[in-house]
Amino acid sequence: MSTLGLALTKNFLVKHTKLRPAYAIVLGSGLGAAVDWLDVESAIAYASIPNFPKGTVPGHEHKLVVGRTPGGVVVAAFLGRVHFYEGASMREVAYPVSVAHALGARTLIVTNAAGGLNPDFREGELMLVRDHLNLIGDNPLRGPDFPKGRSRFVAMRDAYDITLLGEALASANRQHITLQMGVYAALSGPAYETEAELRMLYALGADAVGMSTVPEVMAARQLGMRVLGLSVISNDAFPRRRKQPSEHSHAEILSVVEQACPNASNLILDLIERRA
Ligand code: HPA
């Protein structure tokens, strides 16, 4: 990932879409339908975008769609992401955020499926990320200066925008959507956690655990973007209560996420349109 490489990616995309997004939305596994309200102007497969990281996980469509909300707000939605556990570098994982920023987006909504550690959480509920624990063991800001001229020493306190958190809570309230709030712990994966690891995470203050999101949030904060993080609690990872990892298949997790999709979709749309 270089500044020149990013310019090439941007040049390609501005030829494929006339729209300049205000919002970037990264949609995790099974969450593609969360932007089904989008009036799509262009859909571009990741595989055709120069320098774009290519993913390997089923359940992801792996395309960038640019379009308008019914109220006319321009959104760039990344359907599917590449994960650190697929072998990509943290910079590659976060690259879509750099691209969205280069296209004009100044707000990032990042979503994921996560295991619930907080005993009050139920499968299929949504959780607003109010903070995170980066336990991946790497950082997208590490390495040569990229993007050029941006500090590496980025503040991560208040990474999740307090105004957006308030607006999301108000939106959920209006729509009678149960919205939890908590700390998201990101691990590299791809293996699920041991019992001891789950206890450790809970003791450390994590409410949910997953394998994504943090790289994108760090890149976005380096670029000065506002961030909202939204997790779908796809399985109960509370120590002891949780099923054995072998008992929950990727397909099972996807099906819980897909059922939660309408709530995520309504929440995101309402949030964006009320801010416009
Ligand atoms: N652990 C880690 N990542 C996850 C989980 C989990 O239980 N569920 C969804 N992503």
Side-chain angles (χ1 to χ4, degrees):
M1 304 298 148
S2 66
T3 304
L4 179 62
L6 180 61
L8 291 173
T9 307
K10 179 185 170 184
N11 286 345
F12 171 87
L13 290 174
V14 296
K15 285 195 195 106
H16 284 77
T17 171
K18 289 192 290 292
L19 300 179
R20 296 295 158 261
Y23 288 82
I25 307 181
V26 176
L27 294 161
S29 319
L31 280 164
V35 291
D36 54 6
W37 32 256
L38 205 60
D39 181 12
V40 176
E41 186 237 20
S42 39
I44 308 156
Y46 291 170
S48 72
I49 306 175
N51 301 323
F52 217 77
K54 284 142 193 85
T56 57
V57 179
H60 288 304
E61 289 185 74
H62 291 287
K63 63 183 177 190
L64 165 61
V65 298
V66 185
R68 294 180 197 276
T69 64
V73 182
V74 179
V75 169
F78 295 88
L79 274 62
R81 58 155 63 84
V82 176
H83 302 81
F84 187 66
Y85 65 71
E86 293 175 72
S89 71
M90 290 287 270
R91 283 213 166 156
E92 287 169 330
V93 172
Y95 192 60
V97 172
S98 308
V99 172
H101 182 268
L103 291 175
R106 294 295 177 264
T107 304
L108 172 70
I109 299 177
V110 58
T111 67
N112 59 60
L117 289 165
N118 186 317
D120 295 337
F121 292 2
R122 295 289 168 267
E123 286 182 3
E125 284 181 344
L126 299 178
M127 182 193 87
L128 274 181
V129 181
R130 70 169 171 81
D131 207 345
H132 73 224
L133 291 166
N134 178 15
L135 301 174
I136 293 178
D138 200 349
N139 192 305
L141 310 185
R142 180 176 168 271
D145 215 14
F146 174 80
K148 256 202 166 32
R150 295 268 176 182
S151 171
R152 298 185 174 96
F153 305 105
V154 177
M156 282 294 150
R157 252 192 195 177
D158 306 322
Y160 298 86
D161 189 86
I162 192 81
T163 307
L164 287 176
L165 281 171
E167 289 172 2
L169 285 172
S171 170
N173 214 13
R174 273 193 303 274
Q175 301 185 77
H176 309 291
I177 295 170
T178 303
L179 187 55
Q180 304 283 8
M181 190 147 67
V183 173
Y184 174 88
L187 273 62
S188 76
Y192 286 123
E193 304 72 37
T194 65
E195 182 81 16
E197 286 163 344
L198 292 170
R199 287 182 184 286
M200 172 191 76
L201 293 169
Y202 187 55
L204 289 177
D207 296 290
V209 55
M211 307 173 188
S212 70
T213 300
V214 163
E216 291 105 313
V217 171
M218 290 185 147
R221 291 306 297 149
Q222 186 189 34
L223 294 165
M225 296 172 78
R226 292 178 147 207
V227 175
L228 181 89
L230 190 63
S231 298
V232 176
I233 303 303
S234 58
N235 56 287
D236 190 348
F238 183 65
R240 294 215 162 276
R241 210 157 69 187
R242 175 178 125 124
K243 289 200 253 176
Q244 289 303 302
S246 56
E247 286 175 65
H248 39 192
S249 64
H250 192 69
E252 247 182 337
I253 286 188
L254 278 184
S255 120
V256 175
V257 172
E258 277 160 14
Q259 283 164 40
C261 223
N263 278 346
S265 170
N266 293 336
L267 186 66
I268 293 170
L269 178 61
D270 185 64
L271 181 75
I272 291 176
E273 299 231 299
R274 281 185 184 259
R275 310 193 83 239

